[in-house]
């Protein structure tokens, strides 16, 4: 399994995914500004992975803070956390990581500054380790919905490269393969930066899972032919009503699945669910630079001066989602808001 990110020798090591699959290059981030740059420039991407990166960025930034007290340390840490929050606004995992760190530090007021720095490093490593176990659990629940012989459509990349390891949308595929199920995957290329072509197809080939690459606008034709049995995608943010923000084009896939009576599943670690946001209409949608659309790997494919809309994400309403695969089980969209409530019996709302 390729590691997208790790903490090693007091550095944050990132696999530069912008160069895959032609080059496999790891970047050593020695300060939090480099980590933030890596998130912005898509050296690392995928909601869980950038949450991990944000935690590690905060830890490496804290390492260089000179402070004599807890309050002084926290005051100097705040702009580092704000830098992480500003990198990619749509994915909730960065916010989740920052809030988790703030909550942890609020219980450590009596610790020395040197101890606080170590606590942050240990917590960042813990978030990475937890993510891998969460993804395996998502895989076990999701694999229950994959039958022997199924062909699965996926969009963008929600594999080990997008997480601490194992992936979210790809985890059920990996588990299904381990269970001996004969499956195939169809990967959308995912314009404009081709995460499906460059990353998902590469990952699945590394894992020995048969994968076929298609252009984004081929999916509907294959559904009409009866080629696709189910779709599994990831999510950058899910709201409490079950609306899903994911890579641009996900909404199109969901609508096509609905039209052709194909199950549309979302692999959603609980850290990617925003229980404080009521609907997808409130999710801030990142718009990226026009050059991602007008050029392909530095080669211009559009006329100079053309107007461009380059939305990084779209929102799929809950009515198009068949079920969510989480580490706590599989749930219908209307039950997402219940899964963290102490008065709810999780088993009673799980689906199989």
């Amino acid at each position: 399994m390729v590691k997208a990110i790790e903490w090693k020798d007091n550095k944050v090591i990132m696999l530069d995914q912008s160069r895959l699959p032609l080059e496999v290059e790891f970047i050593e981030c020695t300060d939090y500004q480099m980590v933030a740059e890596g998130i912005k420039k898509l050296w690392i991407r995928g909601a869980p992975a950038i949450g991990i990166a944000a935690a590690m960025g905060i830890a490496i930034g804290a390492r260089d803070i000179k402070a004599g007290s807890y309050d002084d340390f926290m005051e100097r840490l705040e702009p580092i956390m704000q830098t992480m929050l500003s990198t990619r606004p749509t994915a909730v995992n960065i916010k989740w990581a920052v809030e988790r760190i703030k909550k942890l530090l609020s219980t450590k007021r009596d610790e020395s500054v040197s101890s606080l720095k170590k606590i942050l490093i240990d917590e960042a490593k813990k978030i990475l380790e937890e993510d891998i176990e969460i993804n395996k659990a998502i895989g076990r629940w999701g694999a229950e919905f994959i039958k022997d012989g199924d062909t699965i459509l996926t969009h963008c990349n929600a594999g080990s490269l997008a997480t601490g390891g194992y992936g979210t949308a790809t985890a059920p595929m990996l588990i299904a393969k381990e269970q001996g199920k004969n499956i195939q995957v169809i990967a959308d290329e995912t314009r404009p930066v081709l995460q499906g072509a460059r990353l998902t197809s590469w990952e699945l080939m590394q894992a020995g899972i048969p994968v076929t690459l298609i252009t984004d606008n081929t999916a509907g034709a294959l559904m009409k032919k009866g080629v696709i049995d189910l779709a599994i995608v990831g999510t950058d943010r899910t709201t409490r009503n079950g609306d899903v923000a994911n890579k641009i084009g996900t909404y199109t896939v969901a609508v096509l699945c609905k039209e052709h009576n194909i199950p549309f599943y979302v692999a959603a670690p609980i850290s990617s669910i925003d229980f404080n946001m009521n609907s997808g209409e409130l999710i801030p949608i990142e718009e990226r630079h026009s050059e991602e659309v007008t050029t392909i790997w530095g080669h211009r494919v559009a006329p100079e001066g053309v107007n461009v809309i380059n939305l990084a994400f779209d929102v799929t309403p809950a009515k198009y989602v068949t079920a969510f695969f989480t580490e706590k089980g599989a749930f219908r969209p209307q039950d997402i808001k219940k899964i963290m409530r102490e008065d709810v019996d999780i088993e009673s709302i799980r689906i199989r």
Side-chain angles (χ1 to χ4, degrees):
M1 181 177 60
V2 179
K3 291 182 179 180
I5 187 169
E6 63 178 327
W7 182 280
K8 187 177 181 181
D9 299 329
N10 281 322
K11 301 171 187 174
V12 179
I13 312 298
M14 287 184 189
L15 172 61
D16 184 355
Q17 297 182 39
S18 68
R19 296 178 179 272
L20 287 174
L22 301 183
E23 299 177 39
V24 178
E25 180 177 329
F26 291 88
I27 296 175
E28 295 184 352
C29 299
T30 55
D31 55 48
Y32 78 92
Q33 291 96 337
M34 280 190 73
V35 174
E37 183 183 8
I39 296 171
K40 285 182 179 179
K41 291 187 174 179
L42 305 185
W43 300 344
I44 190 163
R45 23 71 50 210
I50 62 177
I52 296 163
M56 290 186 175
I58 292 167
I60 204 169
R63 183 195 60 189
D64 298 327
I65 289 176
K66 293 179 173 57
S69 67
Y70 173 88
D71 289 337
D72 189 19
F73 177 79
M74 290 302 297
E75 183 178 347
R76 295 173 188 273
L77 189 66
E78 183 62 30
I80 297 172
M81 293 189 287
Q82 290 303 318
T83 296
M84 295 301 150
L85 286 168
S86 69
T87 53
R88 300 201 69 191
T90 301
V92 75
N93 291 65
I94 295 176
K95 179 183 176 185
W96 168 85
V98 169
E99 289 179 348
R100 172 169 167 163
I101 285 169
K102 282 184 175 180
K103 184 176 180 180
L104 173 66
L105 291 177
S106 71
T107 67
K108 307 293 182 181
R109 296 187 65 92
D110 295 333
E111 298 283 349
S112 66
V113 169
S114 60
S115 293
L116 293 174
K117 293 178 180 181
K118 184 177 185 305
I119 286 167
L120 287 176
I121 293 171
D122 290 344
E123 188 69 7
K125 291 178 180 178
K126 183 179 178 182
I127 289 173
L128 171 60
E129 293 164 1
E130 287 177 356
D131 184 67
I132 295 171
E133 294 307 311
I134 284 168
N135 296 336
K136 288 180 180 178
I138 289 171
R140 289 190 290 271
W141 290 109
E144 294 187 10
F145 294 81
I146 298 175
K147 301 187 294 295
D148 185 46
D150 273 350
T151 296
I152 305 161
L153 176 72
T154 193
H155 186 76
C156 195
N157 175 262
S160 62
L161 294 172
T163 65
Y166 235 73
T168 53
T170 59
M173 304 171 198
L174 294 169
I175 297 293
K177 179 178 184 289
E178 291 173 9
Q179 293 171 344
K181 294 174 183 175
N182 179 28
I183 63 168
Q184 297 186 61
V185 178
I186 293 176
D188 286 342
E189 61 177 350
T190 320
R191 281 285 288 146
V193 292
L194 302 170
Q195 293 97 325
R198 296 187 300 104
L199 307 179
T200 300
S201 59
W202 182 76
E203 271 195 76
L204 292 175
M205 289 175 72
Q206 298 295 310
I209 295 176
V211 58
T212 300
L213 179 66
I214 62 171
T215 62
D216 294 352
N217 48 15
T218 301
L222 294 185
M223 290 181 191
K224 187 177 180 181
K225 289 177 180 289
V227 172
I228 296 167
D229 298 296
L230 68 157
I232 308 176
V233 302
T235 174
D236 286 82
R237 183 184 301 211
T238 294
T239 53
R240 68 191 308 270
N241 71 332
D243 291 347
V244 176
N246 194 48
K247 182 54 58 183
I248 192 74
T250 302
Y251 171 62
T252 307
V253 171
V255 172
L256 285 167
C257 284
K258 189 81 167 181
E259 174 65 23
H260 293 89
N261 296 312
I262 295 169
F264 178 83
Y265 298 114
V266 178
I270 289 172
S271 64
S272 68
I273 302 172
D274 192 338
F275 293 98
N276 297 315
M277 188 171 282
N278 290 327
S279 80
E281 295 178 0
L282 303 173
I283 297 174
I285 299 298
E286 175 186 358
E287 184 164 2
R288 294 181 61 81
H289 200 279
S290 63
E291 286 184 359
E292 288 184 349
V293 177
T294 60
T295 64
I296 298 178
W297 281 28
H299 299 285
R300 176 164 284 278
V301 295
E304 291 280 359
V306 67
N307 291 328
V308 172
I309 296 174
N310 184 21
L311 301 178
F313 304 92
D314 56 27
V315 175
T316 298
K319 67 180 181 179
Y320 294 107
V321 180
T322 306
F324 288 91
F325 302 151
T326 78
E327 63 266 39
K328 289 182 176 288
F331 304 96
R332 294 181 180 87
Q334 62 266 31
D335 292 325
I336 281 292
K337 61 180 176 290
K338 304 175 185 176
I339 61 179
M340 296 299 285
R341 282 171 41 186
E342 294 182 359
D343 61 336
V344 172
D345 176 17
I346 289 292
E347 184 62 38
S348 68
I349 60 173
R350 279 196 191 113
I351 60 173
R352 291 182 180 270

